[in-house]
Amino acid sequence: MKPATVTFSKLVDSLQQHYGSSAPLPSTDPLELVIWENIAYLASDRRRTEAFAMLKQTIGTSPEQILAAKQSALAAISKAGILPDVSAEKLLSIAKIAYEEFDSDLRPVLKKPLPQAKKALRRFPSIGDPGAEKILLFTRSHPVMALDSNGLRVLCRVGFAEEQKNYSATYRLVQDAIHGQLPRDYDSLIRAHQLLRQHGQELCKRSKPRCVECPVRDGGNFGRTL
Ligand code: SF4
């Protein structure tokens, strides 16, 4: 594959010029971020935001409030995505783990060293290493360059690493490739996460990327994925 012909900072700057300011964060509370990831399976950001707002208004986001709710009420909220009953079970599981293992407060986890903090967050449904890193970044606890699947795909396509069959292997390869180019401050890291994600969702889609509209096509592997 062709090596990347754009630097990480130039890539992010180009995306900012194209998309404007990055999307606001759904929350800066660690437990709410875990809930956000699980509330509506495969829902768009807009539908997920609506479901999250409804949960806050009608039930609440504390473990005690979720555990006291009827599963049917949680499933009604999770209808924003597919498999609402599964999402409702996950919300109950999150509340149970937070209540029993973390005394209903995840904030002390954020103060742990990075490996221990990630391990604790991986106790929750749907939270692997990338999800844990995102929570640690958005809560400004550890300055890590968390990447979701969209951001990872973009970085592979512009040449930072070759996509592997194994997602974790791709994630590690990309992280190694960008490591020396990363900004150190939280604002820049969060901005990069959000813009890479948005680009992967809107133009650099998994199938049929819209390369002719892409603001980084000259630096990316234009045409390779068409
Ligand atoms: S040129 Fe196409 S493949 Fe490359 S980053 Fe842009 S949208 Fe993605």
Side-chain angles (χ1 to χ4, degrees):
M1 70 177 282
K2 290 193 295 182
T5 54
V6 63
T7 63
F8 187 84
S9 63
K10 178 89 174 28
L11 170 64
V12 175
D13 287 347
S14 299
L15 295 178
Q16 176 148 22
Q17 271 180 16
H18 183 79
Y19 293 108
S21 299
S22 49
L25 302 184
S27 174
T28 54
D29 176 83
L31 182 58
E32 288 195 346
L33 288 167
V34 173
I35 291 169
W36 166 268
E37 293 295 334
N38 284 276
I39 195 166
Y41 188 53
L42 293 184
S44 66
D45 281 358
R46 183 181 61 78
R47 300 266 296 160
R48 192 177 293 268
T49 301
E50 289 169 1
F52 189 70
M54 193 185 298
L55 179 72
K56 284 189 100 161
Q57 283 163 12
T58 60
I59 292 174
T61 56
S62 76
E64 292 83 353
Q65 288 168 324
I66 293 172
L67 287 170
K70 286 188 177 161
Q71 186 160 345
S72 58
L74 294 169
I77 291 170
S78 294
K79 269 189 185 156
I82 63 168
L83 307 176
D85 289 328
V86 174
S87 295
E89 279 173 24
K90 285 185 177 179
L91 292 178
L92 286 167
S93 171
I94 290 165
K96 190 165 182 287
I97 294 168
Y99 181 77
E100 292 179 353
E101 300 182 27
F102 298 95
D103 204 14
S104 295
D105 186 2
L106 290 192
R107 286 171 299 179
V109 166
L110 307 179
K111 298 192 175 82
K112 292 177 182 279
L114 184 60
Q116 286 95 318
K118 283 166 65 170
K119 187 176 178 197
L121 291 170
R122 287 199 307 266
R123 288 285 301 123
F124 292 94
S126 312
I127 306 294
D129 261 352
E133 289 181 356
K134 179 176 166 184
I135 292 168
L136 295 169
L137 174 62
F138 282 14
T139 54
R140 294 171 183 263
S141 311
H142 291 273
V144 286
M145 185 63 257
L147 296 166
D148 79 340
S149 59
N150 292 289
L152 194 67
R153 181 171 63 254
V154 171
L155 290 170
C156 284
R157 285 180 175 171
V158 300
F160 280 102
E162 187 105 43
E163 194 164 354
Q164 308 292 304
K165 285 190 182 139
N166 179 293
Y167 187 86
S168 301
T170 307
Y171 195 84
R172 278 196 306 275
L173 274 181
V174 169
Q175 288 287 1
D176 287 348
I178 62 177
H179 182 71
Q181 300 185 34
L182 292 178
R184 305 219 178 271
D185 64 291
Y186 286 111
D187 284 343
S188 300
L189 289 165
I190 290 171
R191 179 180 75 124
H193 172 94
Q194 296 290 74
L195 287 166
L196 287 165
R197 179 169 188 269
Q198 185 175 3
H199 187 50
Q201 286 176 326
E202 295 188 16
L203 291 182
C204 196
K205 297 163 180 262
R206 174 157 289 285
S207 60
K208 296 187 182 161
R210 291 157 55 189
C211 299
V212 289
E213 300 168 56
C214 179
V216 294
R217 62 183 178 276
D218 292 336
N221 287 327
F222 178 67
R224 185 168 67 92
T225 54
L226 283 173

